[in-house]
Amino acid sequence: MALDFAAGCVGGAAGVLVGHPFDTVKVRLQVQNVDKPLYRGTFHCFQSIVRQESMLGLYKGIGSPMMGLTFINAIVFGVQGNAMRNLERDTPLNQFLAGAAAGAIQCVICCPMELAKTRMQMQGTGEKKSKKKMYKNSLDCLVRIYKKEGFKGINRGMVTTLLRETPGFGVYFLAYDVLTRSLGCEPEDPYMIPKLLFAGGMSGIASWLSTYPVDVIKSRLQADGVGGVNKYNSIMDCVKQSLQKEGYRVFTRGLTSTLLRAFPVNATTFATVTLFLMYMRQGEDCSIQNSEPQPVQLQPLQQQTQPTSM
C-alpha cells in the first residue's frame, strides 16, 4: 500500500503542473457574470488572462493543488488499491466501487483545497497587478474564511464535491481498466507508454463528462461571496438561478477547457503512477531473487498497472 501512496504523490505533482492553466480558465468561465461576461470562450479567456494578468495569471491558486493534489492522489490510489485487494475479484463493478470509495474519502481534503484554489483564481481578475489582494496565498485564504465563517465556511461546497467525486472516480478507474485491457497493454509492448497515456487521458475525459454539471454548481457555490455578497442560499437555489438566467447551456460552461486539461493531466498521472509501480516492483523482485540471478518475469500489465494488484 505504501507504493500506492508514493505513486499517487508522484503522479499528482506531475498532473498539476501540466493542467493548472486550463483549470483557471475553466473556473473563470464557470463563474463569470452572464449579464456582463468578460470572456467569449475558452481561447479568448486564455488570451485575456495572459494579456491582462501575464502568464502568472494562469497559475493563480496553484499553491493549493500542489499541496493538496499530491495527498489526494496518494489517498485515491492507496484507497482504491486497498479496496480492490479487499474485494478480491478484479471485475468492472469492483473497479467502479473501489474508485467511488476512494473519491468519497478524498473529499475531506479536496473540498477545502478547491475552495482556496477557486478564490485565488478569481482574485484580481483582469488586473496585471492586483491593487488590493484579499488573500496572500491559499493558506491565508482558508484561515480568513475559517475566522469569518468557521468550519462550515472552509467546507463550502462539500455536498457537491461528494456528488462529483464519488461517481466521477468510479468512472475514472473503470474506464482505465476497460481501456488498458482493450488496448492489450503488455510490458514487452513497444507502444506500451503511448497506450497508457491514451488510456489515462480518455479515462479523465470520461470522468469529467459523467459529472461536469455538478462541477459547475460546485464552482459557483465556492466562488459565491467573494465580493462580500452571497447570491445563493443552497445547492438547489444555485441550480434554479443558473437555469433561469442561462438555460441548460450553463452546465457546459468551461467544458472545452476542462477536456483540454483532462487529457494531458490524467494521461500524465496514470502513466506516471503505472510506470512508477512497475519500476518499483521490478526492483523488489530483483532484490528478492538476488541470490538467484534470473531475468525478472513481469506479470501481464493488467496485473501490474491496475490498482487492483497494488
Side-chain angles (χ1 to χ4, degrees), residues 258-293:
T258 299
L259 298 184
L260 287 172
R261 168 181 175 267
F263 191 93
V265 167
N266 293 290
T268 303
T269 299
F270 256 127
T272 302
V273 169
T274 298
L275 294 172
F276 178 85
L277 286 170
M278 288 180 64
Y279 175 79
M280 294 301 292
R281 286 193 174 131
Q282 185 176 351
E284 285 184 350
D285 290 343
C286 286
S287 64
I288 291 172
Q289 298 177 7
N290 193 36
S291 58
E292 300 178 21

PDB file of all heavy atoms in Angstrom, residues 258-293:
ATOM      1  N   THR A 258     -11.903  22.269 -19.797  1.00  0.00           N
ATOM      2  CA  THR A 258     -11.804  21.117 -18.892  1.00  0.00           C
ATOM      3  C   THR A 258     -11.320  19.883 -19.637  1.00  0.00           C
ATOM      4  O   THR A 258     -10.445  19.152 -19.149  1.00  0.00           O
ATOM      5  CB  THR A 258     -13.174  20.824 -18.251  1.00  0.00           C
ATOM      6  OG1 THR A 258     -13.593  21.958 -17.497  1.00  0.00           O
ATOM      7  CG2 THR A 258     -13.095  19.613 -17.322  1.00  0.00           C
ATOM      8  N   LEU A 259     -11.873  19.642 -20.825  1.00  0.00           N
ATOM      9  CA  LEU A 259     -11.474  18.469 -21.593  1.00  0.00           C
ATOM     10  C   LEU A 259     -10.063  18.620 -22.148  1.00  0.00           C
ATOM     11  O   LEU A 259      -9.309  17.639 -22.219  1.00  0.00           O
ATOM     12  CB  LEU A 259     -12.473  18.223 -22.726  1.00  0.00           C
ATOM     13  CG  LEU A 259     -13.915  17.922 -22.277  1.00  0.00           C
ATOM     14  CD1 LEU A 259     -14.791  17.608 -23.483  1.00  0.00           C
ATOM     15  CD2 LEU A 259     -13.963  16.782 -21.270  1.00  0.00           C
ATOM     16  N   LEU A 260      -9.702  19.864 -22.541  1.00  0.00           N
ATOM     17  CA  LEU A 260      -8.326  20.107 -22.990  1.00  0.00           C
ATOM     18  C   LEU A 260      -7.332  19.844 -21.869  1.00  0.00           C
ATOM     19  O   LEU A 260      -6.211  19.386 -22.099  1.00  0.00           O
ATOM     20  CB  LEU A 260      -8.183  21.555 -23.482  1.00  0.00           C
ATOM     21  CG  LEU A 260      -8.830  21.884 -24.829  1.00  0.00           C
ATOM     22  CD1 LEU A 260      -8.770  23.380 -25.091  1.00  0.00           C
ATOM     23  CD2 LEU A 260      -8.152  21.113 -25.964  1.00  0.00           C
ATOM     24  N   ARG A 261      -7.748  20.137 -20.658  1.00  0.00           N
ATOM     25  CA  ARG A 261      -6.903  19.896 -19.488  1.00  0.00           C
ATOM     26  C   ARG A 261      -6.935  18.434 -19.070  1.00  0.00           C
ATOM     27  O   ARG A 261      -5.922  17.864 -18.669  1.00  0.00           O
ATOM     28  CB  ARG A 261      -7.395  20.767 -18.333  1.00  0.00           C
ATOM     29  CG  ARG A 261      -6.809  20.435 -16.967  1.00  0.00           C
ATOM     30  CD  ARG A 261      -7.393  21.339 -15.900  1.00  0.00           C
ATOM     31  NE  ARG A 261      -6.953  20.974 -14.570  1.00  0.00           N
ATOM     32  CZ  ARG A 261      -7.597  20.153 -13.753  1.00  0.00           C
ATOM     33  NH1 ARG A 261      -8.741  19.615 -14.135  1.00  0.00           N
ATOM     34  NH2 ARG A 261      -7.119  19.867 -12.554  1.00  0.00           N
ATOM     35  N   ALA A 262      -8.114  17.816 -19.155  1.00  0.00           N
ATOM     36  CA  ALA A 262      -8.304  16.458 -18.632  1.00  0.00           C
ATOM     37  C   ALA A 262      -7.389  15.446 -19.307  1.00  0.00           C
ATOM     38  O   ALA A 262      -6.828  14.579 -18.631  1.00  0.00           O
ATOM     39  CB  ALA A 262      -9.761  16.035 -18.797  1.00  0.00           C
ATOM     40  N   PHE A 263      -7.251  15.555 -20.622  1.00  0.00           N
ATOM     41  CA  PHE A 263      -6.450  14.523 -21.307  1.00  0.00           C
ATOM     42  C   PHE A 263      -4.985  14.533 -20.873  1.00  0.00           C
ATOM     43  O   PHE A 263      -4.476  13.513 -20.405  1.00  0.00           O
ATOM     44  CB  PHE A 263      -6.567  14.658 -22.829  1.00  0.00           C
ATOM     45  CG  PHE A 263      -5.982  13.481 -23.551  1.00  0.00           C
ATOM     46  CD1 PHE A 263      -6.776  12.404 -23.911  1.00  0.00           C
ATOM     47  CD2 PHE A 263      -4.619  13.425 -23.844  1.00  0.00           C
ATOM     48  CE1 PHE A 263      -6.235  11.297 -24.545  1.00  0.00           C
ATOM     49  CE2 PHE A 263      -4.067  12.321 -24.474  1.00  0.00           C
ATOM     50  CZ  PHE A 263      -4.881  11.250 -24.824  1.00  0.00           C
ATOM     51  N   PRO A 264      -4.260  15.671 -21.007  1.00  0.00           N
ATOM     52  CA  PRO A 264      -2.837  15.630 -20.621  1.00  0.00           C
ATOM     53  C   PRO A 264      -2.610  15.379 -19.134  1.00  0.00           C
ATOM     54  O   PRO A 264      -1.671  14.681 -18.756  1.00  0.00           O
ATOM     55  CB  PRO A 264      -2.313  17.010 -21.032  1.00  0.00           C
ATOM     56  CG  PRO A 264      -3.516  17.879 -21.107  1.00  0.00           C
ATOM     57  CD  PRO A 264      -4.636  16.990 -21.547  1.00  0.00           C
ATOM     58  N   VAL A 265      -3.482  15.943 -18.286  1.00  0.00           N
ATOM     59  CA  VAL A 265      -3.306  15.764 -16.841  1.00  0.00           C
ATOM     60  C   VAL A 265      -3.446  14.304 -16.452  1.00  0.00           C
ATOM     61  O   VAL A 265      -2.595  13.741 -15.745  1.00  0.00           O
ATOM     62  CB  VAL A 265      -4.328  16.615 -16.057  1.00  0.00           C
ATOM     63  CG1 VAL A 265      -4.363  16.190 -14.586  1.00  0.00           C
ATOM     64  CG2 VAL A 265      -3.966  18.086 -16.144  1.00  0.00           C
ATOM     65  N   ASN A 266      -4.509  13.671 -16.906  1.00  0.00           N
ATOM     66  CA  ASN A 266      -4.757  12.284 -16.494  1.00  0.00           C
ATOM     67  C   ASN A 266      -3.893  11.290 -17.249  1.00  0.00           C
ATOM     68  O   ASN A 266      -3.570  10.225 -16.715  1.00  0.00           O
ATOM     69  CB  ASN A 266      -6.240  11.969 -16.645  1.00  0.00           C
ATOM     70  CG  ASN A 266      -7.080  12.766 -15.660  1.00  0.00           C
ATOM     71  OD1 ASN A 266      -7.049  12.530 -14.460  1.00  0.00           O
ATOM     72  ND2 ASN A 266      -7.797  13.758 -16.157  1.00  0.00           N
ATOM     73  N   ALA A 267      -3.507  11.650 -18.474  1.00  0.00           N
ATOM     74  CA  ALA A 267      -2.543  10.815 -19.181  1.00  0.00           C
ATOM     75  C   ALA A 267      -1.223  10.794 -18.410  1.00  0.00           C
ATOM     76  O   ALA A 267      -0.631   9.734 -18.177  1.00  0.00           O
ATOM     77  CB  ALA A 267      -2.318  11.359 -20.597  1.00  0.00           C
ATOM     78  N   THR A 268      -0.792  11.969 -17.985  1.00  0.00           N
ATOM     79  CA  THR A 268       0.450  12.078 -17.212  1.00  0.00           C
ATOM     80  C   THR A 268       0.347  11.363 -15.874  1.00  0.00           C
ATOM     81  O   THR A 268       1.246  10.611 -15.475  1.00  0.00           O
ATOM     82  CB  THR A 268       0.785  13.570 -16.961  1.00  0.00           C
ATOM     83  OG1 THR A 268       0.875  14.254 -18.207  1.00  0.00           O
ATOM     84  CG2 THR A 268       2.097  13.709 -16.203  1.00  0.00           C
ATOM     85  N   THR A 269      -0.772  11.577 -15.186  1.00  0.00           N
ATOM     86  CA  THR A 269      -0.952  10.986 -13.857  1.00  0.00           C
ATOM     87  C   THR A 269      -0.951   9.473 -13.906  1.00  0.00           C
ATOM     88  O   THR A 269      -0.178   8.806 -13.198  1.00  0.00           O
ATOM     89  CB  THR A 269      -2.271  11.475 -13.228  1.00  0.00           C
ATOM     90  OG1 THR A 269      -2.233  12.894 -13.089  1.00  0.00           O
ATOM     91  CG2 THR A 269      -2.484  10.837 -11.855  1.00  0.00           C
ATOM     92  N   PHE A 270      -1.814   8.896 -14.744  1.00  0.00           N
ATOM     93  CA  PHE A 270      -1.926   7.434 -14.781  1.00  0.00           C
ATOM     94  C   PHE A 270      -0.655   6.776 -15.315  1.00  0.00           C
ATOM     95  O   PHE A 270      -0.217   5.751 -14.788  1.00  0.00           O
ATOM     96  CB  PHE A 270      -3.126   7.017 -15.642  1.00  0.00           C
ATOM     97  CG  PHE A 270      -4.310   6.569 -14.831  1.00  0.00           C
ATOM     98  CD1 PHE A 270      -5.554   7.124 -15.030  1.00  0.00           C
ATOM     99  CD2 PHE A 270      -4.179   5.579 -13.872  1.00  0.00           C
ATOM    100  CE1 PHE A 270      -6.653   6.712 -14.284  1.00  0.00           C
ATOM    101  CE2 PHE A 270      -5.267   5.157 -13.121  1.00  0.00           C
ATOM    102  CZ  PHE A 270      -6.511   5.722 -13.331  1.00  0.00           C
ATOM    103  N   ALA A 271      -0.065   7.348 -16.359  1.00  0.00           N
ATOM    104  CA  ALA A 271       1.158   6.759 -16.906  1.00  0.00           C
ATOM    105  C   ALA A 271       2.289   6.814 -15.877  1.00  0.00           C
ATOM    106  O   ALA A 271       3.049   5.855 -15.720  1.00  0.00           O
ATOM    107  CB  ALA A 271       1.565   7.481 -18.185  1.00  0.00           C
ATOM    108  N   THR A 272       2.383   7.947 -15.168  1.00  0.00           N
ATOM    109  CA  THR A 272       3.427   8.091 -14.143  1.00  0.00           C
ATOM    110  C   THR A 272       3.237   7.080 -13.024  1.00  0.00           C
ATOM    111  O   THR A 272       4.187   6.420 -12.594  1.00  0.00           O
ATOM    112  CB  THR A 272       3.415   9.518 -13.562  1.00  0.00           C
ATOM    113  OG1 THR A 272       3.617  10.468 -14.603  1.00  0.00           O
ATOM    114  CG2 THR A 272       4.501   9.685 -12.507  1.00  0.00           C
ATOM    115  N   VAL A 273       2.003   6.972 -12.545  1.00  0.00           N
ATOM    116  CA  VAL A 273       1.705   6.013 -11.464  1.00  0.00           C
ATOM    117  C   VAL A 273       2.001   4.596 -11.908  1.00  0.00           C
ATOM    118  O   VAL A 273       2.651   3.818 -11.196  1.00  0.00           O
ATOM    119  CB  VAL A 273       0.226   6.139 -11.026  1.00  0.00           C
ATOM    120  CG1 VAL A 273      -0.156   4.988 -10.113  1.00  0.00           C
ATOM    121  CG2 VAL A 273      -0.011   7.463 -10.318  1.00  0.00           C
ATOM    122  N   THR A 274       1.526   4.229 -13.099  1.00  0.00           N
ATOM    123  CA  THR A 274       1.710   2.870 -13.601  1.00  0.00           C
ATOM    124  C   THR A 274       3.186   2.518 -13.768  1.00  0.00           C
ATOM    125  O   THR A 274       3.648   1.473 -13.308  1.00  0.00           O
ATOM    126  CB  THR A 274       0.987   2.708 -14.956  1.00  0.00           C
ATOM    127  OG1 THR A 274      -0.406   2.926 -14.767  1.00  0.00           O
ATOM    128  CG2 THR A 274       1.196   1.309 -15.515  1.00  0.00           C
ATOM    129  N   LEU A 275       3.931   3.398 -14.425  1.00  0.00           N
ATOM    130  CA  LEU A 275       5.351   3.129 -14.666  1.00  0.00           C
ATOM    131  C   LEU A 275       6.153   3.135 -13.371  1.00  0.00           C
ATOM    132  O   LEU A 275       7.093   2.350 -13.207  1.00  0.00           O
ATOM    133  CB  LEU A 275       5.913   4.147 -15.652  1.00  0.00           C
ATOM    134  CG  LEU A 275       5.324   4.063 -17.070  1.00  0.00           C
ATOM    135  CD1 LEU A 275       5.791   5.239 -17.917  1.00  0.00           C
ATOM    136  CD2 LEU A 275       5.695   2.743 -17.732  1.00  0.00           C
ATOM    137  N   PHE A 276       5.767   4.023 -12.436  1.00  0.00           N
ATOM    138  CA  PHE A 276       6.444   4.070 -11.131  1.00  0.00           C
ATOM    139  C   PHE A 276       6.264   2.743 -10.405  1.00  0.00           C
ATOM    140  O   PHE A 276       7.221   2.176  -9.869  1.00  0.00           O
ATOM    141  CB  PHE A 276       5.868   5.213 -10.300  1.00  0.00           C
ATOM    142  CG  PHE A 276       6.449   5.332  -8.910  1.00  0.00           C
ATOM    143  CD1 PHE A 276       7.621   6.040  -8.695  1.00  0.00           C
ATOM    144  CD2 PHE A 276       5.819   4.729  -7.827  1.00  0.00           C
ATOM    145  CE1 PHE A 276       8.156   6.143  -7.412  1.00  0.00           C
ATOM    146  CE2 PHE A 276       6.343   4.830  -6.540  1.00  0.00           C
ATOM    147  CZ  PHE A 276       7.522   5.542  -6.339  1.00  0.00           C
ATOM    148  N   LEU A 277       5.035   2.231 -10.383  1.00  0.00           N
ATOM    149  CA  LEU A 277       4.763   0.962  -9.702  1.00  0.00           C
ATOM    150  C   LEU A 277       5.495  -0.200 -10.373  1.00  0.00           C
ATOM    151  O   LEU A 277       6.036  -1.075  -9.700  1.00  0.00           O
ATOM    152  CB  LEU A 277       3.259   0.700  -9.673  1.00  0.00           C
ATOM    153  CG  LEU A 277       2.451   1.554  -8.690  1.00  0.00           C
ATOM    154  CD1 LEU A 277       0.965   1.389  -8.930  1.00  0.00           C
ATOM    155  CD2 LEU A 277       2.803   1.180  -7.251  1.00  0.00           C
ATOM    156  N   MET A 278       5.488  -0.211 -11.710  1.00  0.00           N
ATOM    157  CA  MET A 278       6.191  -1.275 -12.417  1.00  0.00           C
ATOM    158  C   MET A 278       7.685  -1.258 -12.104  1.00  0.00           C
ATOM    159  O   MET A 278       8.303  -2.297 -11.859  1.00  0.00           O
ATOM    160  CB  MET A 278       5.963  -1.126 -13.923  1.00  0.00           C
ATOM    161  CG  MET A 278       4.573  -1.488 -14.389  1.00  0.00           C
ATOM    162  SD  MET A 278       4.381  -1.293 -16.181  1.00  0.00           S
ATOM    163  CE  MET A 278       5.541  -2.515 -16.772  1.00  0.00           C
ATOM    164  N   TYR A 279       8.265  -0.054 -12.108  1.00  0.00           N
ATOM    165  CA  TYR A 279       9.699   0.083 -11.837  1.00  0.00           C
ATOM    166  C   TYR A 279      10.030  -0.371 -10.414  1.00  0.00           C
ATOM    167  O   TYR A 279      10.975  -1.120 -10.188  1.00  0.00           O
ATOM    168  CB  TYR A 279      10.127   1.533 -12.039  1.00  0.00           C
ATOM    169  CG  TYR A 279      11.563   1.799 -11.671  1.00  0.00           C
ATOM    170  CD1 TYR A 279      12.608   1.457 -12.539  1.00  0.00           C
ATOM    171  CD2 TYR A 279      11.886   2.380 -10.441  1.00  0.00           C
ATOM    172  CE1 TYR A 279      13.925   1.689 -12.201  1.00  0.00           C
ATOM    173  CE2 TYR A 279      13.207   2.615 -10.095  1.00  0.00           C
ATOM    174  CZ  TYR A 279      14.222   2.266 -10.973  1.00  0.00           C
ATOM    175  OH  TYR A 279      15.532   2.497 -10.620  1.00  0.00           O
ATOM    176  N   MET A 280       9.220   0.092  -9.445  1.00  0.00           N
ATOM    177  CA  MET A 280       9.473  -0.247  -8.051  1.00  0.00           C
ATOM    178  C   MET A 280       9.289  -1.736  -7.804  1.00  0.00           C
ATOM    179  O   MET A 280      10.060  -2.354  -7.065  1.00  0.00           O
ATOM    180  CB  MET A 280       8.553   0.568  -7.140  1.00  0.00           C
ATOM    181  CG  MET A 280       8.818   2.065  -7.155  1.00  0.00           C
ATOM    182  SD  MET A 280      10.510   2.494  -6.657  1.00  0.00           S
ATOM    183  CE  MET A 280      10.471   2.029  -4.916  1.00  0.00           C
ATOM    184  N   ARG A 281       8.303  -2.341  -8.412  1.00  0.00           N
ATOM    185  CA  ARG A 281       8.058  -3.772  -8.205  1.00  0.00           C
ATOM    186  C   ARG A 281       9.112  -4.624  -8.893  1.00  0.00           C
ATOM    187  O   ARG A 281       9.479  -5.689  -8.395  1.00  0.00           O
ATOM    188  CB  ARG A 281       6.667  -4.121  -8.705  1.00  0.00           C
ATOM    189  CG  ARG A 281       5.603  -3.602  -7.759  1.00  0.00           C
ATOM    190  CD  ARG A 281       4.256  -4.180  -8.042  1.00  0.00           C
ATOM    191  NE  ARG A 281       3.338  -3.748  -6.999  1.00  0.00           N
ATOM    192  CZ  ARG A 281       2.156  -3.221  -7.211  1.00  0.00           C
ATOM    193  NH1 ARG A 281       1.727  -3.066  -8.431  1.00  0.00           N
ATOM    194  NH2 ARG A 281       1.388  -2.861  -6.206  1.00  0.00           N
ATOM    195  N   GLN A 282       9.605  -4.127 -10.007  1.00  0.00           N
ATOM    196  CA  GLN A 282      10.685  -4.831 -10.675  1.00  0.00           C
ATOM    197  C   GLN A 282      11.918  -4.838  -9.779  1.00  0.00           C
ATOM    198  O   GLN A 282      12.617  -5.832  -9.654  1.00  0.00           O
ATOM    199  CB  GLN A 282      11.010  -4.178 -12.013  1.00  0.00           C
ATOM    200  CG  GLN A 282      12.056  -4.937 -12.819  1.00  0.00           C
ATOM    201  CD  GLN A 282      12.281  -4.323 -14.191  1.00  0.00           C
ATOM    202  OE1 GLN A 282      11.538  -3.431 -14.593  1.00  0.00           O
ATOM    203  NE2 GLN A 282      13.284  -4.789 -14.887  1.00  0.00           N
ATOM    204  N   GLY A 283      12.155  -3.688  -9.113  1.00  0.00           N
ATOM    205  CA  GLY A 283      13.272  -3.590  -8.181  1.00  0.00           C
ATOM    206  C   GLY A 283      13.106  -4.520  -7.001  1.00  0.00           C
ATOM    207  O   GLY A 283      14.053  -5.147  -6.531  1.00  0.00           O
ATOM    208  N   GLU A 284      11.853  -4.626  -6.500  1.00  0.00           N
ATOM    209  CA  GLU A 284      11.575  -5.533  -5.381  1.00  0.00           C
ATOM    210  C   GLU A 284      11.830  -6.978  -5.784  1.00  0.00           C
ATOM    211  O   GLU A 284      12.411  -7.761  -5.039  1.00  0.00           O
ATOM    212  CB  GLU A 284      10.123  -5.366  -4.921  1.00  0.00           C
ATOM    213  CG  GLU A 284       9.888  -4.098  -4.132  1.00  0.00           C
ATOM    214  CD  GLU A 284       8.452  -4.032  -3.618  1.00  0.00           C
ATOM    215  OE1 GLU A 284       7.630  -4.875  -4.052  1.00  0.00           O
ATOM    216  OE2 GLU A 284       8.167  -3.145  -2.805  1.00  0.00           O
ATOM    217  N   ASP A 285      11.378  -7.348  -6.990  1.00  0.00           N
ATOM    218  CA  ASP A 285      11.571  -8.714  -7.464  1.00  0.00           C
ATOM    219  C   ASP A 285      13.051  -9.037  -7.602  1.00  0.00           C
ATOM    220  O   ASP A 285      13.503 -10.125  -7.279  1.00  0.00           O
ATOM    221  CB  ASP A 285      10.880  -8.908  -8.824  1.00  0.00           C
ATOM    222  CG  ASP A 285       9.371  -8.890  -8.696  1.00  0.00           C
ATOM    223  OD1 ASP A 285       8.881  -9.049  -7.561  1.00  0.00           O
ATOM    224  OD2 ASP A 285       8.684  -8.699  -9.720  1.00  0.00           O
ATOM    225  N   CYS A 286      13.816  -8.041  -8.083  1.00  0.00           N
ATOM    226  CA  CYS A 286      15.259  -8.248  -8.244  1.00  0.00           C
ATOM    227  C   CYS A 286      15.939  -8.478  -6.901  1.00  0.00           C
ATOM    228  O   CYS A 286      16.808  -9.326  -6.768  1.00  0.00           O
ATOM    229  CB  CYS A 286      15.892  -7.045  -8.946  1.00  0.00           C
ATOM    230  SG  CYS A 286      15.514  -6.969 -10.706  1.00  0.00           S
ATOM    231  N   SER A 287      15.533  -7.720  -5.897  1.00  0.00           N
ATOM    232  CA  SER A 287      16.156  -7.846  -4.577  1.00  0.00           C
ATOM    233  C   SER A 287      15.796  -9.170  -3.930  1.00  0.00           C
ATOM    234  O   SER A 287      16.597  -9.776  -3.229  1.00  0.00           O
ATOM    235  CB  SER A 287      15.731  -6.678  -3.683  1.00  0.00           C
ATOM    236  OG  SER A 287      14.341  -6.707  -3.445  1.00  0.00           O
ATOM    237  N   ILE A 288      14.563  -9.629  -4.183  1.00  0.00           N
ATOM    238  CA  ILE A 288      14.127 -10.903  -3.603  1.00  0.00           C
ATOM    239  C   ILE A 288      14.891 -12.059  -4.235  1.00  0.00           C
ATOM    240  O   ILE A 288      15.279 -13.016  -3.577  1.00  0.00           O
ATOM    241  CB  ILE A 288      12.604 -11.088  -3.807  1.00  0.00           C
ATOM    242  CG1 ILE A 288      11.846 -10.081  -2.939  1.00  0.00           C
ATOM    243  CG2 ILE A 288      12.174 -12.499  -3.455  1.00  0.00           C
ATOM    244  CD1 ILE A 288      10.350 -10.061  -3.217  1.00  0.00           C
ATOM    245  N   GLN A 289      15.119 -11.952  -5.557  1.00  0.00           N
ATOM    246  CA  GLN A 289      15.759 -13.040  -6.280  1.00  0.00           C
ATOM    247  C   GLN A 289      17.257 -12.805  -6.450  1.00  0.00           C
ATOM    248  O   GLN A 289      17.890 -13.380  -7.324  1.00  0.00           O
ATOM    249  CB  GLN A 289      15.104 -13.185  -7.660  1.00  0.00           C
ATOM    250  CG  GLN A 289      13.621 -13.529  -7.559  1.00  0.00           C
ATOM    251  CD  GLN A 289      12.965 -13.592  -8.932  1.00  0.00           C
ATOM    252  OE1 GLN A 289      13.646 -13.512  -9.949  1.00  0.00           O
ATOM    253  NE2 GLN A 289      11.674 -13.740  -8.952  1.00  0.00           N
ATOM    254  N   ASN A 290      17.804 -11.942  -5.623  1.00  0.00           N
ATOM    255  CA  ASN A 290      19.210 -11.558  -5.771  1.00  0.00           C
ATOM    256  C   ASN A 290      20.156 -12.748  -5.667  1.00  0.00           C
ATOM    257  O   ASN A 290      21.202 -12.797  -6.302  1.00  0.00           O
ATOM    258  CB  ASN A 290      19.562 -10.508  -4.717  1.00  0.00           C
ATOM    259  CG  ASN A 290      20.909  -9.855  -5.023  1.00  0.00           C
ATOM    260  OD1 ASN A 290      21.247  -9.651  -6.175  1.00  0.00           O
ATOM    261  ND2 ASN A 290      21.651  -9.543  -3.977  1.00  0.00           N
ATOM    262  N   SER A 291      19.817 -13.726  -4.851  1.00  0.00           N
ATOM    263  CA  SER A 291      20.674 -14.889  -4.665  1.00  0.00           C
ATOM    264  C   SER A 291      20.636 -15.810  -5.885  1.00  0.00           C
ATOM    265  O   SER A 291      21.518 -16.622  -6.082  1.00  0.00           O
ATOM    266  CB  SER A 291      20.263 -15.674  -3.423  1.00  0.00           C
ATOM    267  OG  SER A 291      18.906 -16.078  -3.545  1.00  0.00           O
ATOM    268  N   GLU A 292      19.573 -15.700  -6.715  1.00  0.00           N
ATOM    269  CA  GLU A 292      19.454 -16.493  -7.923  1.00  0.00           C
ATOM    270  C   GLU A 292      19.274 -15.547  -9.103  1.00  0.00           C
ATOM    271  O   GLU A 292      18.160 -15.162  -9.442  1.00  0.00           O
ATOM    272  CB  GLU A 292      18.255 -17.443  -7.835  1.00  0.00           C
ATOM    273  CG  GLU A 292      18.369 -18.421  -6.676  1.00  0.00           C
ATOM    274  CD  GLU A 292      17.145 -19.312  -6.604  1.00  0.00           C
ATOM    275  OE1 GLU A 292      16.442 -19.452  -7.626  1.00  0.00           O
ATOM    276  OE2 GLU A 292      16.889 -19.861  -5.549  1.00  0.00           O
ATOM    277  N   PRO A 293      20.356 -15.133  -9.727  1.00  0.00           N
ATOM    278  CA  PRO A 293      20.257 -14.150 -10.805  1.00  0.00           C
ATOM    279  C   PRO A 293      19.519 -14.700 -12.026  1.00  0.00           C
ATOM    280  O   PRO A 293      20.079 -15.411 -12.838  1.00  0.00           O
ATOM    281  CB  PRO A 293      21.718 -13.847 -11.151  1.00  0.00           C
ATOM    282  CG  PRO A 293      22.481 -15.021 -10.676  1.00  0.00           C
ATOM    283  CD  PRO A 293      21.759 -15.568  -9.488  1.00  0.00           C
TER     284      PRO A 293
END
